[in-house]
Amino acid sequence: QVQLVESGGGLVQAGGSLRLSCAASGRTFSTYAVGWFRQAPGKEREFIAGISQNGGSTNYKDSVKGRFTISRDNAKNTVYLQVNSLKPEDTAVYYCAARSRYSSTYNFWGQGTQVTVSS
């Protein structure tokens, strides 16, 4: 079992940057892969970035490649999402989620953090 808490969202102008954090509870966090998702008003939630248990493998949605970077610090039980060159269309609630090595689905979710990008 793992509990996730996101932070770092806010209001930023287009072209700006934020670093989102996903803090996890539990001593076995390093055994979980983590993903970042977002949901904009009126749209479905979408996957934007993922990182493996040891951080050695990452993957991204095409539209954020080169602008967003996912990383993790297992000693701090935290996963980060650095978001640069923000665009108004990046406005959404951003969620982190975790899945165990035995699961293909994300079972544990945070409450989300709002990112608003003004033009």
Side-chain angles (χ1 to χ4, degrees), residues 8-20 67-68 82-92 94 114-119:
L11 173 64
V12 63
Q13 289 188 332
S17 299
L18 290 170
R19 188 173 81 156
L20 308 183
R67 298 191 299 124
F68 291 9
Q82 179 69 39
V83 296
N84 298 328
S85 302
L86 283 162
K87 305 174 182 181
E89 52 264 41
D90 293 318
T91 294
Y94 285 68
Q114 175 71 47
V115 172
T116 303
V117 184
S118 63
S119 58

Side-chain angles (χ1 to χ4, degrees), residues 31-80:
T31 66
Y32 290 82
V34 175
W36 281 96
F37 296 74
R38 68 185 180 187
Q39 187 166 21
K43 295 187 177 181
E44 293 189 353
R45 185 171 58 196
E46 62 178 357
F47 171 86
I48 53 174
I51 190 164
S52 61
Q53 288 86 345
N54 66 0
S57 177
T58 59
N59 61 311
Y60 298 90
K61 176 181 172 65
D62 284 347
S63 63
V64 307
K65 284 181 181 177
R67 298 191 299 124
F68 291 9
T69 303
I70 189 170
S71 62
R72 69 189 297 163
D73 184 343
N74 284 340
K76 295 182 178 180
N77 275 12
T78 303
V79 172
Y80 304 98

